[in-house]
Amino acid sequence: MRYRDIVRFDPIESVVQLRDADEHEEARGLVASYVISLEMAERLEATIFSQLQFDEPSDNKGVFIVGNYGTGKSHLMSFISAIAEHEDLAEYVSDADTAGNAKKIAGKFKVVRTEIGAVRMDLRSIFWRQLEDALAEWDVDFRFPETETHASNKPAFEDMMAAFEQRYPDKGLLLVVDELLDYLRSGTDQEQILNLNFLREVGEVCKGTRFRFMTGVQEAIFDSPRFQFAADTLLRVKDRFEQFLIARRDVKFVVAERLLKKTADQEAQVRSHLEPFARFYGKMNERMDEFVRLFPVHPDYIDTFERIFIVEKREVLRSLSQMMRKILDDEVPEDRPGTISYDAYWRSLVENPAFRSEPSVREVIEVGMRLTERIEAAFPTAHQKPLALQLVHGLAVNRLTTVDFQSEMGATAQELRDSLCVYDPMIEEMSDDPADDLAGQIRVILNKARKTVDGTYLGLNAENDQFYLRVTDEPDPDTLIEKRREILDTNYLNRYYFEALKRVMELTDDTIGSGSRIWRWEITWPHRNAPRNGYLFFGAPDDRPTAQPPRDFYLYFLRPYDAPKFKDERRPDEVFFRLSGLNEEFSEPLAKYAAALELAGNASGASKVTFQSKADGYLRELVKWLRQNMATAFEVTYGGKTLPILQWAKGARGGAAETVREVVQNTASACLAPHFEETAPEYPKFSVRITGDNLEQTTREALRGIVSPSRSRQANAALDALELLNGDKLEPRRSRYAKKILSLLEGKGAGQVTNREELVAYTPTGEFFAPDAFRLEPEWLVVVLAALVNSGDLVLALPGKKLGAGDLDVLVATPLSALVDFKHVERPKGWDKPALEALFELAGLAPGLAGDVVNGKEQPVGRLLGEASSRIKEILLAQRTLQSGLVFWGREALSSSGVDSIRTHLDATKGFLETLQALSTPAKLKNLRKSREEIEGYAAGIRALGTVMGLREALSE
């Protein structure tokens, strides 16, 4: 069976010119050869015939025929105008319904056909000159008025039609203009507005007269951004015109019904030929009717052709006619579909020098030719070479459908399979899913082609899986990466696995030692909500000696390839992480990541940037995989027991981990919690999470909470964990940590102190208070000491000063680093009973109450502080009185020197009394720093107070 046997081939190789229809015989051929689909017939009736007819009253408008070059726009206008001019031509219309509907206009018009070339004349002058010439030829005596003598063009048209109808009373006048859009685009903005306004008037004339107007344009002018400056004018033009769009499916119909017309028997033969191949392609079964009607042309040929911007659309009909002429006598192949796909247009591109006038297009063609030469010369698999050439030719043609020739856009293996009907008989033997197998074969062939040319002219976009023609002589980075990948050994893979892990674990370059892969690492001791510090290693325990000083734990991430051989000593402070769930989704991007970085390291300039960018893309894939698979792909070994991360993490406390870093931290915490419990069984339990970052802040909050009863949540959490609170009240003697300190202090002889070294022990992993039981950090020790200072149980000695119960404000303001480095603690001094007696006497109380305080009674202390507070208020009132002045008979009652002396005594006494507020317990009164003589000196202030208040009372009377 030859192609000639299954198609009634009618070539379309000439270009229709509108003026061809001026000759009756030529017009008959144009009418007879115009093919009409059902949809076209309906639209011709609804838009064209209804607007042109004048027998029935209607709101007639002008008509725009919209279609790109080569879509049959000129042929359609010739078809319509020929019928309108010659009644007998209606019988040559190929569609019966259209022939019947065409009688509304058949032979009822005198027709003027014209095309507008590159002229400077305004549109009105062009139209009027063409109409005047036609009227003269028809023996109609009419001349349009001079343009300067009238305000509107419509009366001139109406006068013209009146003169026309005197000569032809039963006829209408049809003006048909081709290629109007290029003319409308030319000229200044003002000229374009004038032309558009004239066009509106032409459309309006169609309503009230037998004048009709039809024109062809390449695009809908109402949607063109070129005319948006005249949007208002366009809207008025749009009101007086109907648009008739020639769609792509109309072009397919022309191909099927004229170029490749088939009888029912021929269609049956084609269907029988194609059906065995349908299972190899995505949607051939669903599109079988379309494949049959257009056979041997692939339906996608026309769709692709219309996206090639360098050729006129009429070229598709001409090129298909030429291709069909060449194969008419060929046998239809039995071992493949035998369709003409768009790759066949490659030969036309190469052979036609006109296509190379555009530099960028010439570059595409030259690159395609070089690629073809390389495939023909060096493709490694001979029997696949024809398929390789078909695919690269298809990609070369596809490249011309993209706006940016440098973009990484092309077609996937599946798209090439379906749009080119690529076929390989070997696929039938592979599996029950031949369509997928064929797509896989295409991918294999194209990857071989890429390697053949080192990817210089063929690229693969990994993001959308599209192959594309690379319009450059630069080697394709993806192919170079693929080649480098093939020679990388496992050392490189392990190295770059650790690089990816470093990124996903959010590790910085701040390692322990230059060039090492060891980081300081912190995890949370879950049962105590406290931080523990250790090391994280990329490697095996053999590297451990480089991490100094020792810390609480060690996490090891072992290399996934060529697993290291070492003895697991089952140490309680060691946890091992091993990637055991390796698959292609991880190993492939890892290998490409390694190859890209290796190439980037040896490249420079733009190439270096490209390889680095590729590496970043692969790294994103790795990071995504690790985040999605961390819980199941890693095994963790602790204490000789190996389980998936997911099972270890079940023992972790707190919320679900959202990052890989959190997964590792939670897993390590769950594993190491028993070890931490064993090393510090009496460590505090915090109700809020303490970290290395917030430890100092929480410590400072706790110190402030000792002084102020208004405490923050952090302060309460710290004081409560250290057992310093009884409800809201500070009672440090209840704390096991405070008891330990007091027991050490009480074990000293009179006048002896407890040095820092006796409280803080140096261990290999840091400094701690009571490391065998409490393992309390120096910061928390300072908080316990401050609480004991506040209760009057001890004095904290710093370099150069001692801080007792009366110095808590100073203690809180001291930098934490200075407090942590305290010298020693000591007992407060013994009771100074004479000083206490003087103090009670100063407050106006019985000196004997001092004995009750020495015996530990609380009540006298309360009375003392109450009287001190009252005296402070009286002094404040006296100070305000002095400020206002004491005037008697217009003169100051006190001399200025007297006032100054009184003020001095009042200020001193008030300041002393205010310090007593911190000595709120008998124990705290031990920290009274004043002698009997100093306290008695403040009696001058009490006497000055009496003087001022006495004068104030006397003067008020």
Side-chain angles (χ1 to χ4, degrees), residues 643-858:
L643 293 171
I645 274 187
L646 194 60
Q647 293 190 35
W648 285 112
K650 287 180 181 178
R653 301 177 67 182
E658 296 183 357
T659 66
V660 172
R661 184 185 184 95
E662 290 174 353
V663 170
V664 172
Q665 288 175 320
N666 289 353
T667 305
S669 296
C671 291
L672 293 165
H675 169 61
F676 297 151
E677 293 289 341
E678 185 178 346
T679 55
E682 297 185 60
Y683 190 83
K685 294 181 180 181
F686 294 91
S687 60
V688 298
R689 186 181 175 191
I690 308 299
T691 68
D693 292 334
N694 70 15
L695 175 61
E696 180 173 349
Q697 177 197 358
T698 307
T699 302
R700 299 227 60 94
E701 287 291 311
L703 292 175
R704 283 191 283 268
I706 290 172
V707 176
S708 172
S710 177
R711 304 186 188 101
S712 67
R713 179 168 176 261
Q714 280 181 304
N716 275 322
L719 295 174
D720 188 57
L722 294 168
E723 303 173 358
L724 299 172
L725 291 179
N726 184 8
D728 289 335
K729 186 178 179 182
L730 273 170
E731 292 186 10
R733 284 181 169 269
R734 298 176 65 255
S735 165
R736 77 182 84 182
Y737 312 110
K739 289 176 182 177
K740 178 73 172 177
I741 295 168
L742 291 176
S743 67
L744 290 172
L745 190 58
E746 289 166 1
K748 297 286 184 179
Q752 291 185 326
V753 301
T754 300
N755 292 314
R756 184 180 188 277
E757 290 77 12
E758 298 175 74
L759 293 173
V760 180
Y762 292 90
T763 74
T765 56
E767 290 185 321
F768 301 100
F769 171 51
D772 294 336
F774 303 155
R775 199 174 175 82
L776 204 65
E777 290 85 351
E779 290 83 357
W780 298 132
L781 174 61
V782 164
V783 174
V784 177
L785 293 176
L788 291 171
V789 170
N790 176 71
S791 65
D793 288 303
L794 58 79
V795 172
L796 181 66
L798 304 179
K801 58 184 175 182
K802 294 182 179 181
L803 304 175
D807 307 302
L808 284 172
D809 289 341
V810 176
L811 187 151
V812 171
T814 301
L816 184 60
S817 58
L819 295 176
V820 167
D821 289 334
F822 68 92
K823 289 178 59 181
H824 64 262
V825 296
E826 60 185 53
R827 296 190 193 89
K829 294 180 180 179
W831 296 108
D832 186 347
K833 193 172 180 182
L836 283 176
E837 291 173 345
L839 182 60
F840 276 92
E841 189 172 357
L842 180 69
L845 297 172
L849 291 173
D852 293 340
V853 172
V854 171
N855 292 326
K857 294 184 178 181
E858 296 276 353

Side-chain angles (χ1 to χ4, degrees), residues 278-412:
R279 62 195 182 97
F280 294 91
Y281 305 102
K283 293 185 177 180
M284 182 181 279
N285 258 329
E286 293 88 334
R287 302 174 67 190
M288 184 58 72
D289 289 343
E290 189 179 14
F291 270 90
V292 170
R293 285 190 297 105
L294 290 172
F295 188 83
V297 174
H298 192 298
D300 291 347
Y301 185 108
I302 298 169
D303 297 335
T304 303
F305 202 94
E306 292 215 338
R307 300 200 307 272
I308 301 175
F309 64 88
I310 63 167
V311 293
E312 294 183 2
K313 304 315 169 204
R314 66 169 66 97
E315 175 71 15
V316 67
L317 301 175
R318 187 161 48 200
S319 67
L320 287 177
S321 295
Q322 293 170 353
M323 291 179 191
M324 279 303 303
R325 198 181 291 279
K326 292 178 181 178
I327 68 168
L328 276 175
D329 292 319
D330 292 348
E331 291 288 332
V332 177
E334 296 180 359
D335 60 347
R336 62 184 185 276
T339 57
I340 299 175
S341 304
Y342 63 80
D343 61 286
Y345 191 64
W346 171 249
R347 182 174 297 278
S348 299
L349 289 171
V350 173
E351 293 176 350
N352 190 341
F355 292 137
R356 305 192 193 189
S357 58
E358 171 65 35
S360 58
V361 175
R362 180 176 65 248
E363 193 172 5
V364 170
I365 294 174
E366 290 177 352
V367 165
M369 292 173 65
R370 288 196 290 271
L371 176 59
T372 297
E373 292 171 0
R374 294 279 295 276
I375 296 298
E376 287 178 338
F379 192 77
T381 313
H383 75 276
Q384 292 178 330
K385 186 184 295 185
L387 292 181
L389 290 171
Q390 181 185 4
L391 291 167
V392 299
H393 291 165
L395 289 173
V397 174
N398 182 276
R399 177 85 282 177
L400 294 173
T401 67
T402 58
V403 176
D404 180 7
F405 290 167
Q406 300 302 322
S407 66
E408 296 185 0
M409 294 176 61
T412 64

Side-chain angles (χ1 to χ4, degrees), residues 128-156:
W128 286 2
R129 178 172 295 181
Q130 293 293 327
L131 289 169
E132 285 178 350
D133 290 346
L135 290 170
E137 186 177 336
W138 298 333
D139 295 328
V140 177
D141 185 15
F142 180 81
R143 303 290 294 181
F144 283 98
E146 296 295 329
T147 56
E148 293 81 5
T149 63
H150 63 284
S152 172
N153 298 302
K154 290 169 63 177

